[in-house]
Amino acid sequence: MASKDETFYFSMTIFQVEGCLFKVPRKPFEEQSEIFRSMFSLPQESNAMVEGMTDDKPLILDSVKKADFRAFLQVLFPPSYGEEIPLSEQEWLSVLGLANMWSFTKIRQTAIEKLQHNSIDLITKVELAHRYDIREWLYGAYLALGKRLDPLSVEESARLGYDFAIKMGHVRERLLRDKIAHPNAYRQRPGYIPARGDSPRSGARNGQQQPRMRTNLGIWSTHPFPGELEDEDDIVLSRAISDIFGVRGEAHFMLGDADLDQNDGIPLPNPQTMPWVMTFDNL
């Protein structure tokens, strides 16, 4: 009698979702999900028919929609090697929900990366980040809400939670207070990150001479300020988001080998590793 290959001899499982049967290899479920691995390892009664072995006794997945499960299977079992998986935004949302529920870590991360580049509206993005604990989305979404012209509406506050809405109101108020405290400040790209407690606008006054900036090579530079902090507003908001929500934007400061200020959680440019970094001329 021929032996069974340890890798390529698949046991099949039959799932029932909304009255529809799906027959798929069991192995990916066992390998990628602790939940299914535990489910399949449960002891069975000696003479009992094991669920998922036949069409008459499938493994029933309650509270799962057929369309969502089909989209999930398309990711778990790609149609062709190396081929792009043709899913819509709604289907990727379905994949994210099931991957999160069943602890498929790799598929969850794939869905997050696919959705990252989609045109999801800001409020929905915050909702998803909260629901599925997508921490890499939080800072950018909070910063955008802080800079948005309109405050959260009643409907948006209900969707995100009134506790969150109040905190975001405090973030926006922090920015407004800073603007009021420096009414004559004009916007410019700063050449440094001011210390905690100092407003990034404190030295930018109309009629006041500003320190010139130059590179370490002595060449006067017009290189834009590195990272996501476009102006003084972003610096104020970044600190407020860190203080109020405990969310920091390290992932958004693409500064290479930057030094990290332990008080602010904001990377400070290192002239030795970034020779283009601008420094003040104190002359």
Side-chain angles (χ1 to χ4, degrees):
M1 182 177 179
S3 62
K4 299 176 183 179
D5 187 85
E6 296 178 357
T7 304
F8 297 104
Y9 188 88
F10 298 116
S11 297
M12 307 299 285
T13 297
I14 300 170
F15 294 98
Q16 178 177 316
V17 182
E18 289 188 328
C20 182
L21 297 179
F22 296 83
K23 188 174 184 179
V24 293
R26 175 185 297 186
K27 188 173 182 179
F29 288 89
E30 292 178 316
E31 289 182 336
Q32 300 185 40
S33 170
E34 178 63 35
I35 293 176
F36 279 101
R37 186 159 52 249
S38 299
M39 183 189 303
F40 291 140
S41 64
L42 291 175
Q44 302 290 333
E45 297 180 9
S46 57
N47 297 324
M49 178 67 70
V50 178
E51 290 184 347
M53 299 296 291
T54 66
D55 291 353
D56 295 330
K57 194 168 185 180
L59 183 57
I60 300 175
L61 299 179
D62 295 318
S63 305
V64 177
K65 295 183 179 179
K66 180 172 61 177
D68 295 347
F69 191 59
R70 184 180 292 112
F72 180 82
L73 292 180
Q74 284 185 270
V75 180
L76 188 60
F77 303 100
S80 179
Y81 175 76
E83 187 174 311
E84 185 70 20
I85 303 172
L87 296 184
S88 66
E89 178 181 301
Q90 184 55 52
E91 287 174 323
W92 278 116
L93 287 172
S94 300
V95 171
L96 174 60
L98 293 182
N100 192 79
M101 180 170 65
W102 292 329
S103 299
F104 281 81
T105 306
K106 292 182 179 179
I107 293 181
R108 177 184 182 275
Q109 188 58 40
T110 298
I112 289 173
E113 291 171 359
K114 294 292 184 181
L115 291 168
Q116 174 72 31
H117 303 292
N118 286 12
S119 56
I120 303 175
D121 71 89
L122 184 57
I123 301 302
T124 300
K125 196 166 190 177
V126 175
E127 275 187 311
L128 293 173
H130 290 173
R131 184 184 308 161
Y132 300 123
D133 192 28
I134 309 176
R135 300 186 181 185
E136 57 264 45
W137 286 6
L138 291 178
Y139 176 79
Y142 289 2
L143 188 67
L145 281 178
K147 297 180 71 172
R148 198 176 70 165
L149 181 62
D150 297 322
L152 290 171
S153 66
V154 174
E155 179 184 357
E156 291 171 338
S157 298
R159 288 174 59 184
L160 300 180
Y162 291 108
D163 180 68
F164 173 84
I166 292 172
K167 289 181 178 179
M168 181 52 64
H170 290 324
V171 169
R172 292 169 62 87
E173 182 182 5
R174 185 87 66 88
L175 176 61
L176 177 61
R177 286 177 178 274
D178 188 82
K179 286 178 176 289
I180 293 174
H182 306 92
N184 297 320
Y186 59 86
R187 297 162 69 89
Q188 66 174 18
R189 292 182 183 272
Y192 71 109
I193 301 291
R196 177 175 290 279
D198 294 338
S199 170
R201 269 178 271 268
S202 59
R205 303 294 181 93
N206 289 330
Q208 179 177 336
Q209 184 178 3
Q210 300 300 307
R212 294 182 298 171
M213 292 177 287
R214 65 181 179 186
T215 66
N216 289 350
L217 300 178
I219 302 174
W220 298 107
S221 174
T222 58
H223 196 289
F225 185 72
E228 293 285 330
L229 296 183
E230 295 293 338
D231 51 33
E232 294 90 339
D233 289 0
D234 286 12
I235 299 175
V236 174
L237 287 171
S238 181
R239 289 174 173 171
I241 290 169
S242 176
D243 292 342
I244 295 172
F245 289 104
V247 173
R248 302 194 178 193
E250 287 89 348
H252 296 265
F253 300 102
M254 306 302 292
L255 297 179
D257 297 325
D259 292 333
L260 184 65
D261 184 327
Q262 298 301 320
N263 293 324
D264 284 338
I266 298 176
L268 299 179
N270 184 340
Q272 294 181 351
T273 57
M274 293 178 292
W276 50 264
V277 168
M278 297 174 286
T279 57
F280 278 102
D281 179 12
N282 297 320
L283 298 179

